[in-house]
Amino acid sequence: MELQMAADELKTVLNRLRRAQGQIAGIIRMIEEGRDCEDVITQLAAVSRALDRAGFAIIATGLQHCMAEGDLPVADREQLRARLEKLFLSLA
């Protein structure tokens, strides 16, 4: 299954991932500086949500493309649906 996303969808996902990357760098600095545990956990939760949202956006795009490909044989569509469901559940 290829990752085929429109430019605007791809930009949104990449922006989320870059923001998460920055948050992770900030968390590392917080730990190195000995910051309060509660602050670190709060930031970890935020980056986790950002990564989940990026993953859900990718899966949603995959589902959209799956539904649009009505010319696939039923068995192939079912196999693709099962793979997307497994990916979705891996984020849940």
Side-chain angles (χ1 to χ4, degrees):
M1 176 172 44
E2 289 183 35
L3 180 61
Q4 298 175 354
M5 300 179 78
D8 59 330
E9 294 167 333
L10 185 60
K11 182 179 177 183
T12 300
V13 169
L14 289 174
N15 284 342
R16 285 183 195 272
L17 292 173
R18 286 187 182 104
R19 191 169 33 249
Q21 184 178 31
Q23 286 176 301
I24 291 170
I27 292 167
I28 291 169
R29 277 192 307 277
M30 291 172 74
I31 292 170
E32 290 172 343
E33 294 168 358
R35 295 275 299 272
D36 182 64
C37 180
E38 187 176 341
D39 293 339
V40 172
I41 298 300
T42 299
Q43 290 305 309
L44 282 171
V47 76
S48 178
R49 284 190 305 273
L51 291 173
D52 285 346
R53 287 186 182 135
F56 287 133
I58 291 170
I59 293 169
T61 300
L63 287 170
Q64 184 178 12
H65 287 285
C66 179
M67 301 303 269
E69 295 180 8
D71 58 339
L72 285 176
V74 174
D76 290 347
R77 265 187 282 164
E78 279 302 309
Q79 184 180 19
L80 183 56
R81 186 204 58 78
R83 289 171 60 198
L84 287 167
E85 181 179 347
K86 184 176 179 180
L87 287 171
F88 179 80
L89 291 173
S90 73
L91 291 173

